[in-house]
Amino acid sequence: MTAQIAIKAEGLKKVFNRRVVFEGVSFSLAPTQTLLISGRNGSGKSTLVKIVAGVLSPTAGSVSISGPSEGGYFGHQALIGMVSPYLQMYEEFSAEENLLYASTIRGEAYDQTRAHELLRRVALYARKDDPVRTYSSGMKQRIKYAFALLHRPPILLLDEPMANLDADGIAIVREIMQEHRRNGAVLVATNDLTDVDVYDKRITLDA
Amino acid sequence: MRNVAPRRWLLSVMAVFRKDLHSELRTRYAVSALVMFVITTIAIIMFSLGQENAPPEVLSGMLWVVIFFGAMSGLSRTFVMEEERGTSMTLQLLAPPSAVYFGKLLFNFVLVTALNIFTVLLFLFLVNGFVVQAPLVFILTVFLGGCGFASATTVIAAIIARANTKGTLYPVLSFPILLPLLVAVIDATKSAAEGAPLDQVGGVFQFLISYIVVLTTLSYLLFEYIWKD
């Protein structure tokens, strides 16, 4: 199923308050490929990820994501799983309630088996009924992975994927990324260039 | 608007509504503000009126002033909270803008209806001289007024959630948009207090229905642009 997915970005430009954050950014990403977006602070890495996710409009250029889906808004979002420092869970709800609402707001039935499997994977199962506000920053980062993977998206967009994670958390994320690239595509925006060799493509944004 | 499967869209609208209701029941963020505001304002009205019986047009105006400022203190929370907690992007990733708008509209309607019922009951029991002689006209006025309030305040809340001066901007932006609605509901409430028959207030109800339809349609069309950037 995932063999058909592809991301194509052409001539992307973003302007905030008359300041050009980036321009002329083009790339394509096919299944099993990984793309690293690096650059200094303020160079627009997170902005570019948000544009690819469809939550921010580019000033110029376009992003097209094709894949096996019913089309429309739900179809577009069904192809994407995103982890970002700008993405927050509902702190008054537990991890499980967050996943429940994530499924139902997508218009899908809640798959509890899948949710529990993901919560075990990110080592949060024992705390699944606790409100997210009681979690540490690392645990909040882990729940974002369960949120991103819940609907089995073929494309993973990861903005600062290792932020706030301990050694175990980093190992879990590396495993998720490796597993995901077997069938899908992974786009990572980070300044952490430790694993720079594992990426198939790289874009450097200059502020 | 992008194409959206109708059944999924409806499920999404209801899920946004349930999420907001669940969140409100757990945090009581908006309800506390609304209840405290209504109780305080009605207490001030009672003290200022004393044992005097004010005429129906004055009491009708006072009722809707309480509802207007009560709504201003609570109805913006649905979007402001999403923005302040950073969960706007989470919702953007999950649901199309129209599903978010109608889910929030439904939640605000439930909230404003509860506010209206609470305010009206307190008014009827505590304020001297406030008697409703045409209950059906009054119930229709409160219902349509609630629909109009929810429709206007939901889209304004979405706009001000992105601004820096949220608290002051909300009533300032809402007042000119709500003014025609306020004039109509005050007029209909006065008629209900005086015992006017339903057909005499028909024109006001037609205006209120038109107002709700036009405002909801415009909000639906504009919401994607407000919500996305």
Side-chain angles (χ1 to χ4, degrees), chain A residues 73 88 92 97 101 105-106, chain B residues 12 22-23 26 90 92:
Chain A
Y73 195 91
Q88 302 297 330
E92 68 273 30
E97 285 169 338
Y101 282 119
I105 292 174
R106 272 197 190 96
Chain B
S12 187
H22 189 181
S23 174
R26 196 161 282 180
T90 314
Q92 284 173 349

Side-chain angles (χ1 to χ4, degrees), chain A:
Chain A
M1 184 180 95
T2 50
Q4 302 162 34
I5 59 115
I7 305 177
K8 192 169 186 185
E10 283 180 304
L12 291 177
K13 178 183 180 182
K14 187 66 188 176
V15 178
F16 278 127
N17 298 326
R18 295 183 186 175
R19 189 179 78 85
V20 178
V21 182
F22 55 74
E23 60 184 328
V25 176
S26 300
F27 63 87
S28 62
L29 200 59
T32 74
Q33 286 190 327
T34 50
L35 169 70
L36 171 68
I37 301 168
S38 61
R40 287 176 288 181
N41 292 340
S43 59
K45 298 186 294 295
S46 299
T47 304
L48 183 55
V49 172
K50 285 181 194 174
I51 289 172
V52 175
V55 296
L56 199 64
S57 304
T59 310
S62 65
V63 177
S64 62
I65 297 181
S66 53
S69 76
E70 64 192 72
Y73 195 91
F74 287 115
H76 178 90
Q77 299 301 13
L79 299 171
I80 293 166
M82 185 175 175
V83 173
S84 162
Y86 298 98
L87 186 73
Q88 302 297 330
M89 297 296 107
Y90 291 93
E91 300 225 327
E92 68 273 30
F93 296 145
S94 66
E96 177 144 31
E97 285 169 338
N98 268 287
L99 297 183
L100 167 75
Y101 282 119
S103 289
T104 53
I105 292 174
R106 272 197 190 96
E108 293 171 350
Y110 176 55
D111 184 349
Q112 194 179 48
T113 313
R114 169 78 177 159
H116 285 186
E117 175 196 312
L118 287 169
L119 288 168
R120 277 193 198 94
R121 179 145 201 210
V122 297
L124 284 178
Y125 186 77
R127 298 280 307 271
K128 70 180 168 58
D129 297 321
D130 294 348
V132 170
R133 67 167 176 271
T134 63
Y135 287 10
S136 69
S137 53
M139 291 164 79
K140 285 177 184 170
Q141 180 74 354
R142 288 176 186 221
I143 180 73
K144 290 178 190 176
Y145 280 91
F147 172 85
L149 295 167
L150 184 64
H151 57 298
R152 296 185 167 86
I155 299 164
L156 264 189
L157 307 178
L158 308 177
D159 185 6
E160 297 298 350
M162 309 300 182
N164 301 316
L165 291 174
D166 56 15
D168 289 345
I170 289 170
I172 291 168
V173 169
R174 283 199 176 126
E175 201 181 283
I176 287 171
M177 285 167 66
Q178 283 211 332
E179 205 170 281
H180 202 84
R181 68 180 297 192
R182 278 185 215 138
N183 294 309
V186 183
L187 184 154
V188 174
T190 184
N191 273 325
D192 178 7
L193 303 178
T194 320
D195 299 325
V196 70
D197 297 335
V198 305
Y199 297 96
D200 300 310
K201 295 181 174 184
R202 182 175 172 183
I203 293 175
T204 305
L205 300 175
D206 292 316

Side-chain angles (χ1 to χ4, degrees), chain B residues 5-39:
Chain B
R7 192 176 166 276
R8 275 189 85 170
W9 181 85
L10 202 60
L11 289 172
S12 187
V13 170
M14 291 313 296
V16 170
F17 167 70
R18 276 201 307 275
K19 187 268 296 170
D20 278 359
L21 192 65
H22 189 181
S23 174
E24 183 54 40
L25 291 174
R26 196 161 282 180
T27 60
R28 295 195 177 88
Y29 204 83
V31 167
S32 307
L34 289 172
V35 168
M36 290 314 295
F37 187 89
V38 169
I39 290 173

